[in-house]
Amino acid sequence: MINSFVFILSFGMCYVQILLAYKVERKSSFIQSIILCFMTQVCLGAIGAQILSVLHIYINLVSMSIIYIIIGLGMFVFSIRKRKIQKFLFDRVEILSFFIICIGVGIVFLRVFTPDILLAYQNSDPAAHFEYAMKVVRTGRLSTMYFASLYNALIIEIGQPFVATINCYKLFILADTTANLLNAFMFYCVAEKICESRFAKLCLPFLTLLYFMGWPFFNYAIGGFVYFGWGVTIIMYVIYMLIELEESAEKRHRIILWALIVIGCFCTLICYMLFVPTLGVIVLCSFIRTVKAKGIRTDKRKIVI
């Protein structure tokens, strides 16, 4: 139980430091920032887990707490040296959209798995992914494509002191739900970036839920292809950073964005490597367009296509 609280505390501390770290002069959208900073943190944590694995250190709540403490301290030192923190823009439409998406995905969760969090998957894939996560819990070792199993395992470990062993599958379902909620949020962030009219932005939460009820719903509630949900989410994270790169005029900010793009590409590799060729083409095309434009901004919608 102590390990669970220590991990939550270290994760939260790291998250706050990443969120407040100075990134760009203009104000950033608060809602988009809390989603993107969370994605950045889990990507950095996955890289940290790989380092622990190479050093033959067991992956568990304690070792991952140390990783997040190190990252958080690094961000804190960075903020102290810059003597600045990031400023945020609080958009009422985005805040309302955030809660609409949460409520929509929450309703789907309750309808499919019920408040008792019962098994409702239609095939055997979730069982395999649950086994991958439990293998990390039991052995502290990572597989080749370990991104999903790492965070499924961490959430299971956090909840184990509070549930019976036979009910650990409920923690797996909650972990998978969290990943798919992030999927919906990342779609919203990317869509918000390319929508220009106020009316379109007002419709975005409902468009996001419509998107979620397509392939993501099948993947989440019927198929249970766990790494698909995480993989698509990371790809959308990279696409968002590519759009930001197109819009950014600050050299320092562009360096940060390129670093995050590389991190996102690596995390796609360790999540579901079959997505890597597609993501590689997206990044390459964006890079070629940027070089040809020589600083001239291009249509960000073409990046998404």
Side-chain angles (χ1 to χ4, degrees):
M1 185 179 294
I2 294 176
N3 290 346
S4 298
F5 284 118
V6 169
F7 178 82
I8 292 171
L9 186 64
S10 62
F11 189 94
M13 180 273 292
C14 179
Y15 178 65
V16 170
Q17 293 303 321
I18 293 176
L19 183 65
L20 295 179
Y22 176 72
K23 306 168 191 71
V24 65
E25 187 63 32
R26 59 178 167 79
K27 290 184 178 181
S28 298
S29 163
F30 178 73
I31 292 298
Q32 293 184 37
S33 293
I34 62 175
I35 297 166
L36 292 160
C37 288
F38 188 89
M39 284 299 302
T40 300
Q41 180 167 341
V42 296
C43 287
L44 290 173
I47 294 173
Q50 180 64 63
I51 294 172
L52 293 176
S53 182
V54 170
L55 296 175
H56 301 288
I57 298 173
Y58 290 119
I59 310 299
N60 52 38
L61 292 179
V62 175
S63 59
M64 288 304 295
S65 294
I66 294 172
I67 289 294
Y68 285 122
I69 289 172
I70 292 172
I71 296 172
L73 288 175
M75 292 294 102
F76 178 73
V77 171
F78 174 80
S79 296
I80 293 295
R81 291 187 62 183
K82 296 297 295 184
R83 297 182 181 180
K84 291 181 181 180
I85 60 173
Q86 185 60 45
K87 297 178 181 178
F88 298 105
L89 177 66
F90 294 86
D91 188 304
R92 285 176 293 183
V93 173
E94 289 191 358
I95 294 172
L96 180 61
S97 299
F98 178 86
F99 286 107
I100 290 173
I101 294 169
C102 284
I103 292 170
V105 175
I107 291 172
V108 171
F109 167 74
L110 293 174
R111 289 288 294 176
V112 173
F113 296 104
T114 76
D116 294 325
I117 318 180
L118 301 177
L119 285 172
Y121 297 114
Q122 301 297 312
N123 66 19
S124 60
D125 267 48
H129 289 288
F130 177 62
E131 175 59 27
Y132 298 153
M134 291 305 297
K135 185 176 180 180
V136 177
V137 173
R138 290 192 298 264
T139 67
R141 301 298 182 190
L142 300 176
S143 59
T144 304
M145 296 188 292
Y146 65 84
F147 192 98
S149 58
L150 168 66
Y151 285 104
N152 290 338
L154 290 175
I155 291 176
I156 289 172
E157 282 193 73
I158 290 170
Q160 271 186 330
F162 310 102
V163 301
T165 303
I166 197 172
N167 289 325
C168 279
Y169 73 89
K170 296 179 186 288
L171 299 172
F172 172 80
I173 293 173
L174 290 175
D176 191 29
T177 301
T178 302
N180 282 277
L181 179 61
L182 280 171
N183 189 323
F185 281 145
M186 277 309 311
F187 177 87
Y188 173 82
C189 289
V190 172
E192 201 281 335
K193 269 290 183 184
I194 64 176
C195 287
E196 298 177 356
S197 72
R198 191 69 172 176
F199 176 76
K201 293 185 178 184
L202 287 171
C203 296
L204 271 183
F206 305 104
L207 177 63
T208 299
L209 292 176
L210 186 63
Y211 155 79
F212 182 75
M213 291 307 296
W215 170 253
F217 175 77
F218 176 83
N219 170 69
Y220 164 55
I222 300 174
F225 310 126
V226 176
Y227 43 55
F228 273 25
W230 270 117
V232 172
T233 304
I234 298 170
I235 286 177
M236 288 192 288
Y237 170 80
V238 174
I239 290 174
Y240 184 96
M241 295 304 167
L242 289 170
I243 296 173
E244 276 282 298
L245 189 66
E246 288 279 329
E247 297 178 342
S248 178
E250 299 179 34
K251 182 178 179 180
R252 177 184 153 279
H253 186 221
R254 291 173 67 85
I255 293 173
I256 293 173
L257 290 171
W258 271 118
L260 295 178
I261 289 167
V262 172
I263 289 170
C265 290
F266 175 76
C267 287
T268 304
L269 176 67
I270 61 176
C271 181
Y272 191 55
M273 62 179 61
L274 292 182
F275 284 154
V276 172
T278 301
L279 182 58
V281 171
I282 293 171
V283 174
L284 181 61
C285 290
S286 177
F287 177 72
I288 292 172
R289 288 179 61 83
T290 302
V291 171
K292 285 185 176 181
K294 296 181 179 179
I296 300 173
R297 294 183 183 179
T298 55
D299 188 352
K300 55 191 174 185
R301 279 167 287 198
K302 292 181 181 178
I303 299 174
V304 179
I305 294 171

